[in-house]
Amino acid sequence: MGSLFRSEEMTLCQLFLQSEAAYACVSELGELGLVQFRDLNPDVNAFQRKFVNEVRRCDEMERKLRYLEKEIKKDGIPMLDTGENPEAPQPREMIDLEATFEKLENELREVNLNAEALKRNFLELTELKHILRKTQVFFDEREHAGLNPTESMTRALISDDNIARQSALGPVQLGFVAGVILRERIPAFERMLWRACRGNVFLRQAEIETPLEDPSTGDQVYKSVFIIFFQGDQLKTRVKKICEGFRATLYPCPEAPSDRREMAMGVMTRIEDLNTVLGQTQDHRHRVLVAAAKNIKNWFIKVRKIKAIYHTLNLFNLDVTQKCLIAECWVPVLDIETIQLALRRGTERSGSSVPPILNRMETFEDPPTYNRTNKFTKGFQALIDAYGVASYREMNPAPYTIITFPFLFAIMFGDSGHGLIMFLFGGWMVLKEKPLAAKKTDNEIWNIFFGGRYIIFLMGLFSIYTGFIYNDIFSKSLNIFGSYWTVNYNASTVQSNKALILNPKYNDFAHYPYPIGMDPVWQLAENKIIFLNSYKMKISIIFGVIHMLFGVIVGLWNHLYFKRKDSIICEFIPQIFFLVFLFLYMVLLMFIKWIKYAADNEVFAETQACAPSVLITFINMVLFKPPNKVDNCYPWMYAGQDGFQRLLVVLALLCVPWMLLAKPLLMIHNKKKLVQGIVHENGDVEGGVGALQNTGAVAQGAHKEEEEDMSEVFIHQGIHTIEYVLGSVSHTASYLRLWALSLAHAQLSEVLWNMVMRNGLVREGWFGGIFLWAIFAFWAVLTVGILVLMEGLSAFLHTLRLHWVEFQSKFYAGQGYSFQPFSFEIILDAAQSGTEE
């Protein structure tokens, strides 16, 4: 848990592994997930590394598994997930896995090809069946009408004069073609036939009621049967080309009814035989996929682990003898023994007799930042890392954020009703944590909510508390302790006057305060907003100043840990003085005002009428301006206030040049002492003038570079000083968002109640109950959608800004990079989420 306050101490290690044991050792380290390997071959192409062939084999196995998975999902077969985590197979087992996947893929592809051919044959026979049925119906209609079909077609296509001329020459011979076409192409098909054949063809079409399955895609398509009559070979060729262009399928259709019936019977027999064969093919395919579905999850895990191991081995270097692999890795110091035990297990598994060697190395590189987290602290750490990963061994804001984040959120979201909704939602996710985590989904919004379940839970809990303090629940108040205000007016006066003033001097507040929170009578008061504005504005400033002071103090712990005494003297002390002398003093004035001035004080100068404005007092203090005098009122809150305030402002202003100049001047002084010490040491040792001259030449050569370095230090310190001084003012004002959003939330909640929910309470009887039910549903949807979700998101973002900017800027650099260990768990989770997407 200590690493939560400050990142783990890391060390760079060199690892020597025998070639035979390297695979097993890396496998054990992947299960452990505590080692971050460095790439020792950055200039070597990925295709030129030692284990590139093994990686390719793993890619091929993964491709085959993805094909199997796609076919399993297509058939809707559930894939068994036992939650097992099998170990990475030995390299020799890769051959067996490859053979298994090859056999399954080939068998499945062969079955699919056969099934597709059978389905295509079945489709053709089905279409031919519909053609024979529809054309038979068409010819039967013509015969019942007393017309020969050929004669009727002739009359439809040829005029009476042409018929007389043709009958003199001989009988007219008409041809026809029949086929099937997609239903949506019929209108365009008909127009094209009419235009291309100039109206010399006759088209008759009928819809196929049942959809047909496309064997290539498996989609259901709707088609229509058509028959086209024409005269002559030229028109026949033209019609067939048009059919080909519209991708219509033509089928043979006999002219004689007896031939059509005989063909139909043969088609039905073949369809029945095909149905039997198709059923057997589907059964075989289903059996193959069911057998594969039982193991596919474990197969994926095994292949991905093998692939990850070989990817990691490609980062290693080979020694001169080609029998040893050398790696460099970052490891936590506390876990070195655990890592050595894992390496020993890997060596024993591989049967090697040469033990691995793990040596610590000295380096000037910045180690990665590693903060150990659990399921509770993980969400808060993610909030901090989203701004920037902490520098190595820098103070981590996450443990303090666990309390300050939900608390500052709750100040803005202070409603016990809305907080209860959020609390119950967060509590449900926490209680159902395991089953919800098992249902892995690619819904990004849900994943964000679930990842921050403990944050939502605490935000709701704290909001219930602040709502209790504000005495606000769905814009209404709870009358738990009764009102401490006394109404001294009679009934007629109260009824005849809309607005009356209650004198605080004559109510119970004069003797003792309300037990906790706000008096419920303020919910009815006309000046409720004025009173709550003053209260919420002041507590916003109070919590803001305390929050910033704590940030500066956390910065002191950084200086002490890194032994930066100069920073303590030149930065921390003037920063804390500047903040205390100005802004903490303003907070103290608020408490003095609350304590000193009361309505029942016997001295008039100490009543609420003479209470000075804290804001005006602070402005006059900074401007060295005397306060405005009021008759019978004392202008100061305590004796000697004027002189004390002037002293505080002068001391605060002196802190500005202290922050600006002290550190650069101290650095110049230290460098001069260092140069003098070197000169003195050289003079003693050499005992000659030549050594002094050489030292002077070196000093002169470095003089110009030192001037450039010092100018950068002055500029950097100036920017830092201006940022802190101006930031102290702007950051203090920024905490007023706590008051602003709290006021906006309360007012929006009240408006929603008055404009929606109140309308449902004015009707009586059974109709009133139904009306109230509908109004309540509408009010509940708006409450959850606007006040809980939208307002909650707004308050969350403002709280995030207060932590990232106002709090963390006082001590947090955030210039590190995160520790990314070689971990099978992380790799498998990333692969799983990538597959789902």
Side-chain angles (χ1 to χ4, degrees):
M1 191 67 181
S3 68
L4 191 62
F5 292 93
R6 199 183 293 280
S7 63
E8 286 277 349
E9 188 178 352
M10 308 293 289
T11 182
L12 184 65
C13 292
Q14 194 171 34
L15 179 62
F16 295 88
L17 297 172
Q18 192 182 7
S19 296
E20 292 80 7
Y23 181 93
C25 290
V26 172
S27 173
E28 289 292 334
L29 294 178
E31 298 289 352
L32 201 61
L34 288 172
V35 176
Q36 177 179 331
F37 291 102
R38 300 171 70 192
D39 190 359
L40 299 183
N41 310 299
D43 301 326
V44 179
N45 191 295
F47 300 102
Q48 297 174 340
R49 303 204 177 195
K50 180 175 174 57
F51 300 98
V52 65
N53 290 328
E54 286 78 1
V55 173
R56 284 178 176 173
R57 289 166 64 190
C58 291
D59 284 334
E60 182 63 18
M61 285 193 289
E62 206 168 3
R63 182 195 62 76
K64 292 173 182 176
L65 286 175
R66 283 197 299 270
Y67 172 72
L68 287 173
E69 186 182 37
K70 185 184 74 173
E71 294 297 319
I72 290 168
K73 287 180 178 177
K74 188 189 292 185
D75 278 24
I77 300 171
M79 288 178 281
L80 184 64
D81 189 3
T82 58
E84 295 179 12
N85 186 16
E87 292 183 351
Q90 294 299 319
R92 58 180 175 272
E93 295 180 34
M94 278 181 68
I95 301 171
D96 297 335
L97 288 174
E98 284 176 316
T100 303
F101 301 157
E102 183 75 22
K103 179 186 174 185
L104 280 171
E105 186 193 26
N106 290 338
E107 187 175 2
L108 198 56
R109 285 192 185 278
E110 187 178 351
V111 170
N112 286 345
L113 285 173
N114 293 336
E116 188 176 343
L118 290 170
K119 284 180 180 179
R120 187 169 284 107
N121 198 356
F122 180 79
L123 176 66
E124 291 172 356
L125 290 171
T126 306
E127 289 177 349
L128 181 56
K129 178 187 74 173
H130 285 292
I131 285 175
L132 294 172
R133 284 183 181 175
K134 299 295 182 183
T135 53
Q136 184 64 40
V137 170
F138 174 71
F139 286 131
D140 288 346
E141 288 174 358
R142 290 292 177 175
E143 288 173 0
H144 287 311
L147 297 172
N148 184 284
T150 308
E151 182 183 347
S152 64
M153 292 304 105
T154 305
R155 291 187 179 278
L157 293 173
I158 306 173
S159 64
D160 294 336
D161 294 338
N162 288 336
I163 290 174
R165 196 178 303 117
Q166 291 288 345
S167 59
L169 296 174
V172 177
Q173 296 295 327
L174 283 182
F176 67 90
V177 294
V180 174
I181 190 172
L182 288 174
R183 191 178 295 177
E184 60 267 18
R185 294 179 182 171
I186 282 287
F189 181 60
E190 192 169 359
R191 284 195 301 271
M192 180 60 72
L193 279 172
W194 179 262
R195 290 172 182 172
C197 301
R198 300 182 180 179
N200 291 321
V201 295
F202 185 82
L203 171 68
R204 184 70 186 271
Q205 59 92 16
E207 295 179 354
I208 301 175
E209 293 80 7
T210 56
L212 304 175
E213 182 183 354
D214 188 344
S216 301
T217 61
D219 297 333
Q220 298 291 324
V221 293
Y222 287 89
K223 294 188 176 183
S224 294
V225 171
F226 67 86
I227 184 168
I228 304 169
F229 291 90
F230 51 82
Q231 182 185 10
D233 292 337
Q234 188 177 0
L235 280 179
K236 180 179 182 180
T237 305
R238 197 174 297 176
V239 166
K240 285 188 174 181
K241 284 184 178 179
I242 294 170
C243 292
E244 185 181 347
F246 278 86
R247 296 189 180 180
T249 310
L250 299 178
Y251 291 96
C253 182
E255 291 186 20
S258 58
D259 293 341
R260 285 197 297 271
R261 279 193 292 271
E262 186 179 346
M263 181 181 281
M265 291 175 62
V267 167
M268 292 302 295
T269 305
R270 289 173 63 189
I271 286 176
E272 289 176 4
D273 293 341
L274 266 179
N275 270 327
T276 305
V277 177
L278 266 174
Q280 293 173 352
T281 306
Q282 291 294 340
D283 289 343
H284 179 62
R285 168 188 160 88
H286 189 74
R287 284 195 299 272
V288 172
L289 291 177
V290 166
K294 293 178 181 178
N295 300 310
I296 194 163
K297 292 287 186 184
N298 286 348
W299 284 340
F300 263 122
I301 293 172
K302 288 180 178 180
V303 171
R304 284 167 179 161
K305 282 187 176 182
I306 297 170
K307 183 179 175 182
I309 291 170
Y310 282 119
H311 263 300
T312 305
L313 289 173
N314 276 333
L315 305 178
F316 294 7
N317 252 343
L318 281 168
D319 71 338
V320 182
T321 62
Q322 301 281 317
K323 293 183 178 179
C324 181
L325 288 170
I326 304 170
E328 290 183 5
C329 53
W330 291 106
V331 299
V333 173
L334 294 176
D335 295 315
I336 289 179
E337 291 185 8
T338 309
I339 292 166
Q340 287 175 335
L341 287 173
L343 291 171
R344 201 171 298 132
R345 284 198 304 271
T347 307
E348 291 170 359
R349 276 180 53 195
S350 65
S352 174
S353 58
V354 180
I357 301 171
L358 186 68
N359 292 331
R360 293 182 66 168
M361 300 170 62
E362 296 295 331
T363 180
F364 293 103
E365 290 184 43
D366 290 330
T369 301
Y370 176 43
N371 295 104
R372 293 183 198 268
T373 56
N374 51 36
K375 61 183 181 181
F376 176 71
T377 59
K378 186 178 180 180
F380 294 97
Q381 189 65 54
L383 289 180
I384 303 302
D385 292 343
Y387 174 78
V389 179
S391 303
Y392 178 64
R393 301 294 287 168
E394 184 180 29
M395 285 298 294
N396 183 20
Y400 320 111
T401 305
I402 293 172
I403 296 300
T404 59
F405 192 92
F407 181 67
L408 293 181
F409 171 88
I411 294 175
M412 294 183 270
F413 199 75
D415 189 305
S416 294
H418 302 148
L420 181 64
I421 295 172
M422 191 175 289
F423 172 76
L424 292 175
F425 177 60
W428 172 75
M429 287 192 290
V430 170
L431 289 175
K432 299 288 184 180
E433 189 175 80
K434 290 183 178 179
L436 289 175
K439 295 178 182 177
K440 294 181 178 178
T441 175
D442 58 348
N443 189 321
E444 192 173 349
I445 295 175
W446 166 254
N447 289 335
I448 290 172
F449 276 124
F450 185 71
R453 58 194 178 278
Y454 287 100
I455 302 175
I456 294 172
F457 178 78
L458 286 181
M459 289 193 306
L461 183 64
F462 278 64
S463 296
I464 294 173
Y465 167 72
T466 53
F468 187 63
I469 296 297
Y470 294 156
N471 204 353
D472 193 355
I473 174 167
F474 296 120
S475 79
K476 298 289 135 186
S477 292
L478 295 175
N479 192 7
I480 299 175
F481 303 104
S483 176
Y484 279 28
W485 285 85
T486 305
V487 180
N488 295 319
Y489 302 102
N490 55 38
S492 60
T493 305
V494 171
Q495 292 173 358
S496 59
N497 292 276
K498 183 178 179 181
L500 292 172
I501 296 175
L502 298 181
N503 192 341
K505 184 176 181 180
Y506 300 108
N507 67 70
D508 291 345
F509 271 133
H511 306 290
Y512 47 88
Y514 200 71
I516 185 169
M518 289 289 172
D519 193 300
V521 78
W522 284 109
Q523 188 66 32
L524 308 173
E526 289 289 334
N527 62 336
K528 177 182 73 171
I529 294 179
I530 299 172
F531 171 76
L532 289 179
N533 271 358
S534 175
Y535 166 71
K536 291 181 179 179
M537 191 187 300
K538 287 183 173 64
I539 63 170
S540 299
I541 296 297
I542 291 169
F543 286 124
V545 171
I546 293 172
H547 201 212
M548 290 190 295
L549 273 172
F550 180 65
V552 177
I553 293 170
V554 173
L556 172 64
W557 296 337
N558 274 334
H559 299 324
L560 291 172
Y561 178 82
F562 293 113
K563 298 178 180 178
R564 299 190 295 236
K565 293 182 180 178
D566 296 352
S567 297
I568 296 174
I569 298 169
C570 304
E571 289 182 3
F572 170 72
I573 294 176
Q575 284 178 358
I576 200 80
F577 282 176
F578 184 84
L579 208 57
V580 167
F581 291 163
L582 292 181
F583 299 101
L584 186 61
Y585 176 72
M586 180 174 63
V587 170
L588 292 175
L589 287 180
M590 295 177 190
F591 284 98
I592 292 171
K593 180 179 177 180
W594 283 338
I595 294 169
K596 182 176 182 180
Y597 297 94
D600 62 338
N601 283 347
E602 296 180 359
V603 181
F604 179 78
E606 295 181 357
T607 59
Q608 80 277 9
C610 289
S613 168
V614 173
L615 180 60
I616 300 300
T617 302
F618 182 72
I619 293 172
N620 290 338
M621 164 188 164
V622 175
L623 298 177
F624 294 99
K625 183 181 176 182
N628 297 325
K629 293 185 178 180
V630 181
D631 295 339
N632 301 323
C633 290
Y634 188 61
W636 305 106
M637 293 186 183
Y638 58 90
Q641 181 179 355
D642 185 26
F644 183 63
Q645 288 184 167
R646 291 174 183 270
L647 176 64
L648 290 180
V649 173
V650 170
L651 292 176
L653 292 176
L654 288 175
C655 290
V656 176
W658 187 354
M659 284 186 278
L660 181 64
L661 302 173
K663 192 170 185 178
L665 294 176
L666 192 60
M667 290 176 68
I668 293 171
H669 178 69
N670 290 339
K671 282 190 176 182
K672 284 183 179 178
K673 284 179 64 177
L674 183 63
V675 171
Q676 289 175 2
I678 292 172
V679 171
H680 181 70
E681 184 181 348
N682 285 340
D684 288 344
V685 173
E686 299 292 338
V689 181
L692 293 173
Q693 289 176 346
N694 290 336
T695 307
V698 172
Q700 286 177 357
H703 181 67
K704 187 175 182 180
E705 187 177 340
E706 286 179 9
E707 283 185 351
E708 291 178 358
D709 291 345
M710 290 313 301
S711 64
E712 288 184 7
V713 170
F714 271 104
I715 292 170
H716 175 76
Q717 197 65 23
I719 293 171
H720 187 70
T721 303
I722 294 170
E723 182 184 3
Y724 182 82
V725 173
L726 296 182
S728 297
V729 180
S730 64
H731 291 175
T732 304
S734 185
Y735 278 94
L736 289 174
R737 70 186 67 234
L738 298 173
W739 151 63
L741 264 77
S742 174
L743 176 66
H745 184 85
Q747 289 304 300
L748 194 59
S749 178
E750 187 173 349
V751 167
L752 191 62
W753 179 278
N754 292 334
M755 294 185 67
V756 179
M757 194 62 187
R758 180 176 287 181
N759 295 325
L761 301 172
V762 295
R763 289 174 173 79
E764 298 180 355
W766 64 269
F767 178 74
I770 297 173
F771 187 72
L772 177 61
W773 174 81
I775 289 293
F776 174 78
F778 183 59
W779 174 82
V781 169
L782 291 179
T783 297
V784 174
I786 296 176
L787 293 177
V788 177
L789 289 177
M790 291 178 62
E791 283 280 322
L793 179 61
S794 174
F796 177 88
L797 293 175
H798 282 284
T799 310
L800 200 59
R801 184 236 149 82
L802 289 176
H803 280 79
W804 280 357
V805 180
E806 278 71 24
F807 174 58
Q808 290 176 199
S809 63
K810 302 295 184 292
F811 67 95
Y812 189 68
Q815 295 176 347
Y817 63 100
S818 59
F819 177 60
Q820 296 176 335
F822 169 62
S823 168
F824 287 145
E825 184 180 357
I826 296 172
I827 292 168
L828 293 173
D829 286 344
Q832 182 70 22
S833 60
T835 303
E836 288 173 355
E837 289 175 6

